[in-house]
Amino acid sequence: MNIVVCVKHVPDAQSERGFNEDNTTDRDGVDGLLSELDEYAVEQALQIAEAGEGEVTVLTVGPADAADAVKKSLQMGADKGVHVSDEAIAGSDAPATSLILAEAIKKVGSPDLVITGMASTDGTMGVVPAMLAERLGLPQVTYASELTVEDGVATIRRDGDTASETIQASLPALVSVTDQINEPRYPSFKGIMAAKKKPVEEWALADLGVDAGQVGLANAWTAVEQTTKRPPREQGTIVTDEGDGGTKLAEFLTTHKFV
Amino acid sequence: MAEVLVLVDHANGEVKKPAAEMLTLARRLGEPSAVFIGPGAETAKDLLARYGAEKIYSVSDPAALESLVAPQAEVLAQLVQEKQPAAVLIPSNSGGKEIGARLAVKTESGLITDAEDVQAGDSGPVTLQSVFAGSYTVNAKVTKGTPIICVKPNSATPEQAAGAGAFEELSVSISDEAKAARITASEPRKSSGRPELAEAAIVVSGGRGTGGDFSPVESFADSLGAAVGASRAAVDAGWYPHSSQVGQTGKQVSPQLYVAAGISGAIQHRAGMQTSKTIVAINKDEEAPIFELVDFGVVGDLFQVLPQATEAVKGK
Ligand SMILES: Cc1cc2nc3c(=O)[nH]c(=O)nc-3n(C[C@H](O)[C@H](O)[C@H](O)COP(=O)(O)OP(=O)(O)OC[C@H]3O[C@@H](n4cnc5c(N)ncnc54)[C@H](O)[C@@H]3O)c2cc1C
Ligand SMILES: Cc1cc2nc3c(=O)[nH]c(=O)nc-3n(C[C@H](O)[C@H](O)[C@H](O)COP(=O)(O)OP(=O)(O)OC[C@H]3O[C@@H](n4cnc5c(N)ncnc54)[C@H](O)[C@@H]3O)c2cc1C
């Protein structure tokens, strides 16, 4: 079983995030890390590989420091890493990102499973998994809160608004996982040491046969025209309950016509 | 005027509120055409026409819904090719965004998700999005292909405008590839009878501070006709279903009023509610970060405050 996990390097959500003058994400001002939601994808791949035979390759597309997302995944236990980096990629939109990921996955080989997170914690679009499935011609089974792989079939559980569903697809398939699926492990000291010896491939666009004119800010199919920092919400009235907190709350709601 | 395709969100023919909102937005961009996939279009017809649908394209083949999103993307791709619409509007929920994703790749078109407003611009629609947990707003547009825009619920006030509602049953061929992932079992969730979380005008949420007893939260919600939400801590503890989770990995809500009871206000929770028009919190801890956001806050025990507020609201 060969598994490719897509992991994104993102600005830390705990710090002040912002934009550069060209409306791309400011990555310099903030610490980057492995998108928290991709840890669940890595963990799931490791569990499947550990239960049988398998190799887990982690793949990231991003600037130089995106190598950290690969490193963290290797420390958790993934076998090898791929980092696609190229000046021309900067400012890519989701269709371009999925194109690069798809070509990189083809170059890695023909994995039985591609696992992704449900959404990144910066762009938070949640569209790359479906785009990848479309580009690779794979069945998509997304938002898994449970995943089992048996006899060449991936089965997931998905908890939707109106129903809990079971969804099946034959391998090879693409699966995206939610934060309900497992508890990601912390890298152990042994894992951290072992990661140093694990192979990481560095590929540029030319290695993938992707033309620079298909990616990057200038070739994006969408354009951000303006970014505006929202003024912080002004704190309103805070009262301490002295036996009449509920009444005061009801009064506030009445004054503002919610009642 | 060019057509604007609007993918109708419905449950077995019962049209959801965002469809009327999107038809209203579509009128700013061109002539709205509703696209109804699945059984029930006949029942939905009148409502869609009332909100401005000039045409209603219906695909009644149930196979189009059995296999997740891929067949729906194929239907839309076929329509985009035939009609060359000015834009495609799709509900910005998890399924809708995936339909948009596949459609974007198929038609080589740009995609914008989580739009909170759509306006006509000189070179196509201009959208408004909130990003980075609501700390920035962004105006964006599509520069290639047919603008595909996923629109969040509550992005417009539905306005009626009689449309012709010309009904057209489409025959589409859905590829085997699109049917590759199948729903093999479905366990319906019991309906609470309350409004749907993502669409509700008022949401009352409970967190770890409820200690697992959501009854004061539910009673207060019912006094206001509100939906009930929960923090991830409450969901992880098994107190409330995952589908009620508000936040980064749950529902993104943007109601007129959001009430957080026993919720601290972690960044991941704020990512899902920060764009609410009015925010109220009840929390024992006056230092809780949620108070930074509130229009009105009560420092106190939710088990005291909520029942009293519920009685007062009921008395009005
Ligand atoms: C604030 C903001 C708003 C944006 N708005 C738009 C927009 O409206 N339209 C648009 O086309 N683009 C937009 N982008 C750009 C888009 O987010 C990036 O192109 C991004 O790489 C793909 O989308 P996502 O981060 O939302 O990923 P998602 O679709 O949320 O990611 C899902 C999963 O895909 C995988 N994945 C995603 N990116 C990578 C990567 N680089 N390397 C490895 N795995 C990855 C991960 O497993 C991840 O968990 C926006 C970016 C930002 C920061
Ligand atoms: C990848 C990732 C994704 C996440 N996604 C989400 C998400 O989508 N949504 C989400 O909510 N969280 C999410 N989280 C979790 C988030 O970080 C917080 O852990 C969570 O929101 C905390 O929930 P809480 O506020 O209910 O609990 P706590 O932080 O424990 O807060 C409980 C609050 O209740 C108050 N309290 C206690 N008793 C009472 C009482 N009797 N009356 C009044 N107040 C009382 C306390 O003072 C405290 O402020 C995510 C985390 C990660 C890592």
Side-chain angles (χ1 to χ4, degrees):
Chain A
M1 174 87 62
N2 285 319
I3 307 173
V4 173
V5 187
C6 299
V7 295
K8 189 178 184 189
H9 190 253
V10 298
D12 188 349
Q14 302 291 347
S15 31
E16 284 269 314
R17 294 169 291 177
F19 291 94
N20 297 315
E21 259 174 44
D22 64 355
N23 291 331
T24 55
T25 313
D26 178 7
R27 288 167 167 271
D28 294 335
V30 260
D31 286 341
L33 42 71
L34 168 61
S35 177
E36 262 174 318
L37 292 167
D38 292 344
E39 291 182 18
Y40 300 86
V42 174
E43 175 64 37
Q44 200 56 31
L46 294 176
Q47 288 186 13
I48 293 169
E50 284 160 3
E53 268 178 31
E55 192 178 51
V56 177
T57 306
V58 293
L59 163 63
T60 197
V61 172
D65 59 356
D68 287 353
V70 171
K71 191 164 122 194
K72 169 93 185 271
S73 311
L74 295 177
Q75 291 175 341
M76 287 174 73
D79 299 293
K80 50 184 196 173
V82 174
H83 178 194
V84 182
S85 198
D86 199 308
E87 286 289 317
I89 293 173
S92 290
D93 60 356
T97 304
S98 69
L99 172 71
I100 303 165
L101 285 170
E103 292 307 316
I105 289 167
K106 286 184 202 160
K107 191 170 157 83
V108 168
S110 310
D112 304 289
L113 263 182
V114 176
I115 306 184
T116 72
M118 59 178 273
S120 72
T121 58
D122 63 341
T124 65
M125 294 179 76
V127 298
V128 167
M131 285 182 174
L132 269 180
E134 176 75 34
R135 290 191 185 279
L136 294 168
L138 295 178
Q140 71 170 77
V141 275
T142 49
Y143 294 96
S145 55
E146 246 175 57
L147 165 65
T148 50
V149 181
E150 234 174 51
D151 302 327
V153 176
T155 304
I156 70 154
R157 204 193 75 215
R158 169 198 280 194
D159 298 310
D161 284 343
T162 52
S164 211
E165 294 168 333
T166 307
I167 296 160
Q168 291 195 318
S170 302
L171 300 188
L174 178 136
V175 180
S176 81
V177 303
T178 73
D179 55 344
Q180 303 282 302
I181 199 165
N182 56 42
E183 264 314 312
R185 68 194 68 182
Y186 289 103
S188 63
F189 179 69
K190 215 174 117 213
I192 292 170
M193 296 313 287
K196 293 184 173 154
K197 297 200 193 75
K198 291 177 180 170
V200 178
E201 302 260 2
E202 304 231 3
W203 293 339
L205 286 179
D207 297 308
L208 303 176
V210 174
D211 188 88
Q214 291 176 281
V215 303
L217 186 62
N219 304 301
W221 298 353
T222 47
V224 174
E225 298 202 304
Q226 200 182 334
T227 62
T228 316
K229 194 164 168 46
R230 209 189 273 263
R233 289 186 83 106
E234 254 174 66
Q235 199 181 51
T237 314
I238 309 245
V239 300
T240 301
D241 181 31
E242 280 158 354
D244 58 352
T247 312
K248 284 186 173 151
L249 171 54
E251 277 164 15
F252 172 84
L253 296 180
T254 310
T255 319
H256 290 78
K257 304 205 162 53
F258 291 113
V259 181
Chain B
M1 238 198 307
E3 280 182 60
V4 176
L5 301 179
V6 174
L7 182 64
V8 175
D9 203 2
H10 66 93
N12 298 317
E14 196 188 313
V15 176
K16 302 208 178 158
K17 197 171 122 231
E21 296 168 6
M22 289 197 295
L23 286 168
T24 304
L25 290 175
R27 285 209 304 276
R28 297 178 183 167
L29 311 173
E31 267 181 11
S33 295
V35 182
F36 192 102
I37 301 177
E42 288 288 347
T43 339
K45 219 168 77 181
D46 290 347
L47 185 143
L48 297 172
R50 217 176 320 126
Y51 283 97
E54 295 293 341
K55 291 192 183 135
I56 299 165
Y57 300 115
S58 150
V59 177
S60 52
D61 184 356
L65 292 182
E66 265 165 27
S67 328
L68 303 183
V69 301
Q72 299 187 61
E74 283 192 357
V75 170
L76 285 178
Q78 219 167 298
L79 276 171
V80 166
Q81 241 105 57
E82 279 171 33
K83 314 288 174 191
Q84 301 289 322
V88 183
L89 304 186
I90 299 175
S92 203
N93 50 35
S94 53
K97 290 201 274 190
E98 293 188 336
I99 293 169
R102 298 185 80 113
L103 182 63
V105 171
K106 276 182 201 296
T107 60
E108 303 203 352
S109 299
L111 168 71
I112 290 169
T113 59
D114 299 302
E116 287 165 18
D117 193 18
V118 185
Q119 300 284 351
D122 296 338
S123 50
V126 179
T127 61
L128 176 85
Q129 293 164 286
S130 289
V131 304
F132 294 147
S135 59
Y136 277 82
T137 57
V138 165
N139 295 110
K141 63 176 189 190
V142 167
T143 52
K144 180 150 193 276
T146 303
I148 302 171
I149 301 168
C150 296
V151 183
K152 281 174 86 163
N154 291 325
S155 294
T157 309
E159 286 160 20
Q160 300 203 1
F167 196 80
E168 201 177 309
E169 177 74 36
L170 295 185
S171 66
V172 289
S173 51
I174 293 160
S175 71
D176 286 341
E177 198 180 89
K179 295 180 194 157
R182 296 186 63 83
I183 301 166
T184 55
S186 182
E187 223 180 281
R189 194 184 306 288
K190 225 175 67 215
S191 160
S192 68
R194 296 191 178 93
E196 233 176 90
L197 188 53
E199 299 160 17
I202 304 181
V203 174
V204 180
S205 291
R208 202 196 305 271
T210 62
D213 179 3
F214 261 64
S215 57
V217 171
E218 290 180 330
S219 303
F220 186 55
D222 291 343
S223 76
L224 294 167
V228 174
S231 73
R232 176 163 166 200
V235 167
D236 280 355
W239 302 338
Y240 239 68
H242 178 58
S243 56
S244 306
Q245 181 176 317
V246 171
Q248 184 184 65
T249 55
K251 292 271 152 43
Q252 319 264 318
V253 300
S254 199
Q256 296 299 322
L257 171 66
Y258 187 81
V259 181
I263 293 177
S264 61
I267 181 84
Q268 296 91 349
H269 187 79
R270 295 193 339 214
M273 47 67 75
Q274 194 144 321
T275 55
S276 304
K277 309 295 174 294
T278 300
I279 298 175
V280 167
I282 302 103
N283 198 303
K284 273 204 306 211
D285 174 10
E286 62 176 346
E287 306 276 319
I290 190 81
F291 283 130
E292 290 163 20
L293 308 178
V294 298
D295 297 286
F296 191 81
V298 183
V299 180
D301 188 331
L302 70 92
F303 290 96
Q304 311 290 329
V305 176
L306 285 183
Q308 188 180 64
T310 307
E311 284 315 308
V313 168
K314 278 194 197 152
K316 301 268 171 186

